[in-house]
Amino acid sequence: MMTSSAKDKIQKEFKEEMDYDELLNCMRCGFCLPSCPTYIETGHQEKYSPRGRIALMKGITDGVIEPDDDIAHSLDLCLGCRACEPVCPSGVHYGHLLESARTIIQRNKKEPIRVKMLRKGIFNELFPHQDRMEKVTSLIGFYQRSGLSKVARKVGFMNLFPESMATMEKVLPEVPKRSEMKQRPRFFEHEGEKKATVALFAGCLMDTMFFETNKATIKLLQKAGCDVAIPENQLCCGALHGHNGELEKSKEMAKQNIEAFEAVKADYIITNAGGCSAFLIEYDHLLKDDPEWAERAKNFARKLKDISAILVALDFQKTHRLCLPEQIITYQDSCHLRNVMKTFSEPRILLQSIEGVHFVEMEGADTCCGSAGDYNIVQPDMAMQILDHKMDKVEDTNAQTIVTANPGCLLEMKLGVERANKTGSVRAVHIADVLLEALVE
């Protein structure tokens, strides 16, 4: 519950910190409505649309609407997929407005001590420290390798958790031993003709839970003619913080990442996680008011490319043979990769170049799957509703393989396959993994 003093502070800070010109940019035309998953899934309720949420933000800023828990819920229910931005004729940066509003509300929200401690543990003590991420995920690896996972399911222990979380436990990738993570080199030499020097943004979860996908990414880059450096001292991109009202912490993390990558004289900074990419490429916006870091953030953002974009730019699909057993493949866009990074044709070009593959475009592939960072954990009902509808579209393609380009999306689609009882006939896989699988040496 919001106290009256909290409401007053929120109203004051909205007036001081919200970008009023950006709020005014919204013409209320409604072009965003058909692209918004929560507007559609809630039966076209205006307060769950981008236009409606901007109106609520402006109302608070103008002092004509009092902030309350219902407004906070409206903002929290937003996936932050930013599908509204490409269709907006005024070019409203809705994602920036959403992050600012959430930060102000979170800063003034009264929460139970246990919630505050949990947030502090996750946002301050875990994700900003890659060594701790390795320790935590290695425990998951031990849980998987030791057979405890099978025991937990057999005795019904997982039934104590919400259905979506219990199902998610089944589809987690196999986590390597911590020693394997630690032993990986920091530099990999190109194969064939050298075409570029790249620095890999390894990511927090990508470099632990999805370690094998990072290995596949490095191998593909080497095959494409790239020297690959993995800068030391890089850490989580800060997206989880930025999307959950912890912008100040994400700024600290952005500065450390920029500094880490400046130490490597790379032509490009490569990512393989759409959610991370979108936040990284907006470091220039995040730090625009910091004179010491603004230009450095711009230089960082200019070098950013998704793995699929760099491969296509280097003609990987023309210089290497890709082949798989005959199958139908479909592609689920990462919202942030498509809507913020503007990368959507390149994954399709690569997949369509694989011999034996019949690529079928999924209806609504450009709409969110329901993952959205930690959304499927904090808003499980809406996330599962969106996911189940997404799986209906997958079924229409008759695909045996669903490809995506973001770890959260990958887990969500694996979860969808499990919920639809398709585990034996349909798989979900990251694009880097399927390309390496298809590569004919």
Side-chain angles (χ1 to χ4, degrees):
M1 294 289 290
M2 287 188 191
T3 63
S4 57
S5 61
K7 291 178 182 180
D8 291 341
K9 284 189 71 178
I10 290 170
Q11 201 131 36
K12 179 175 178 290
E13 290 174 18
F14 260 67
K15 194 163 188 175
E16 293 172 349
E17 299 178 30
M18 292 297 293
D19 187 337
Y20 199 70
D21 289 338
E22 198 67 69
L23 289 170
L24 288 176
N25 275 346
C26 178
M27 301 186 302
R28 315 289 188 262
C29 65
F31 278 30
C32 60
L33 302 183
S35 70
C36 178
T38 53
Y39 175 72
I40 294 167
E41 296 290 345
T42 57
H44 303 150
Q45 291 190 52
E46 183 73 18
K47 66 179 178 180
Y48 297 125
S49 72
R51 180 176 68 179
R53 291 180 176 113
I54 290 174
L56 292 173
M57 295 179 209
K58 185 175 181 297
I60 295 172
T61 307
D62 289 339
V64 297
I65 295 178
E66 185 180 76
D68 59 21
D69 292 318
D70 190 49
I71 291 175
H73 174 68
S74 170
L75 298 179
D76 287 343
L77 198 65
C78 178
L79 290 144
C81 68
R82 298 173 69 166
C84 51
E85 292 186 12
V87 299
C88 177
S90 299
V92 176
H93 292 96
Y94 171 80
H96 298 165
L97 292 172
L98 179 67
E99 286 175 0
S100 296
R102 282 177 169 173
T103 296
I104 294 170
I105 291 173
Q106 179 58 42
R107 189 189 300 153
N108 295 286
K109 189 189 294 184
K110 186 177 181 181
E111 292 179 316
I113 292 295
R114 67 180 184 280
V115 174
K116 287 183 178 180
M117 294 301 291
L118 180 62
R119 286 182 65 91
K120 183 180 178 183
I122 292 173
F123 294 125
N124 292 357
E125 306 302 330
L126 179 59
F127 278 89
H129 304 277
Q130 190 60 17
D131 59 330
R132 296 176 190 173
M133 289 294 295
E134 289 173 2
K135 288 177 183 176
V136 170
T137 52
S138 64
L139 289 175
I140 297 174
F142 174 77
Y143 167 78
Q144 294 170 329
R145 291 188 299 273
S146 66
L148 284 173
S149 57
K150 293 179 182 177
V151 173
R153 292 172 206 157
K154 189 173 182 180
V155 302
F157 177 72
M158 296 310 300
N159 295 334
L160 299 174
F161 296 90
E163 181 192 351
S164 59
M165 287 185 68
T167 308
M168 186 70 77
E169 182 266 348
K170 294 181 184 178
V171 301
L172 290 176
E174 290 186 14
V175 180
K177 294 179 180 178
R178 194 175 180 216
S179 58
E180 184 181 350
M181 300 180 205
K182 288 291 186 186
Q183 289 167 5
R184 186 197 51 204
R186 288 281 173 180
F187 182 80
F188 298 82
E189 194 171 348
H190 68 280
E191 296 184 18
E193 177 191 353
K194 183 179 176 181
K195 296 183 179 179
T197 298
V198 303
L200 178 67
F201 183 83
C204 52
L205 283 175
M206 286 305 301
D207 216 31
T208 50
M209 191 171 291
F210 295 89
F211 190 76
E212 290 300 317
T213 300
N214 266 5
K215 285 170 62 177
T217 301
I218 293 166
K219 191 67 175 175
L220 291 170
L221 289 168
Q222 288 180 280
K223 293 286 185 182
C226 297
D227 281 346
V228 185
I230 306 176
E232 294 189 56
N233 301 320
Q234 61 171 299
L235 40 76
C236 172
C237 65
L240 188 66
H241 300 71
H243 301 328
N244 284 277
E246 301 284 344
L247 273 178
E248 289 308 311
K249 190 64 182 178
S250 64
K251 289 178 183 179
E252 292 176 25
M253 297 162 74
K255 291 173 184 177
Q256 183 169 331
N257 280 327
I258 291 169
E259 202 163 43
F261 280 84
E262 285 176 340
V264 178
K265 308 300 181 185
D267 302 308
Y268 304 102
I269 298 169
I270 304 303
T271 65
N272 56 10
C276 298
S277 304
F279 201 75
L280 292 167
I281 206 169
E282 293 195 332
Y283 274 4
D284 56 345
H285 170 75
L286 188 67
L287 299 173
K288 63 182 173 61
D289 297 323
D290 190 321
E292 182 185 348
W293 290 91
E295 192 60 35
R296 295 167 74 177
K298 285 181 183 178
N299 291 334
F300 176 92
R302 286 190 196 108
K303 291 186 175 184
L304 214 66
K305 272 188 179 293
D306 178 68
I307 176 62
S308 64
I310 188 67
L311 290 178
V312 170
L314 296 177
D315 290 330
F316 180 82
Q317 76 282 5
K318 296 178 182 178
T319 56
H320 294 77
R321 186 182 173 212
L322 300 168
C323 184
L324 285 173
E326 285 197 17
Q327 60 189 283
I328 297 172
I329 283 182
T330 195
Y331 179 73
Q332 166 61 31
D333 283 286
S334 156
C335 296
H336 288 111
L337 187 61
R338 183 183 183 102
N339 299 325
V340 184
M341 289 288 285
K342 312 301 181 189
T343 300
F344 47 87
S345 62
E346 293 91 338
R348 291 168 168 84
I349 289 169
L350 291 166
L351 292 173
Q352 289 170 351
S353 71
I354 303 174
E355 297 172 26
V357 160
H358 177 48
F359 180 82
V360 176
E361 185 70 34
M362 186 200 317
E363 182 186 350
D366 58 344
T367 62
C368 188
C369 63
S371 172
D374 63 348
Y375 188 91
N376 55 5
I377 297 173
V378 297
Q379 300 287 346
D381 292 340
M382 178 58 72
M384 292 306 102
Q385 186 174 325
I386 291 169
L387 176 59
D388 289 344
H389 290 159
K390 176 66 66 178
M391 292 308 299
D392 290 340
K393 302 301 182 186
V394 170
E395 188 165 2
D396 290 342
T397 68
N398 293 314
Q400 289 91 43
T401 302
I402 310 164
V403 178
T404 188
N406 183 59
C409 303
L410 178 58
L411 285 180
E412 190 76 353
M413 298 313 296
K414 283 177 175 286
L415 179 60
V417 170
E418 186 75 22
R419 284 171 62 87
N421 296 314
K422 300 282 187 180
T423 305
S425 57
V426 181
R427 65 171 181 159
V429 62
H430 191 283
I431 190 166
D433 293 313
V434 81
L435 288 174
L436 187 61
E437 179 187 339
L439 184 62
V440 178
E441 298 283 355

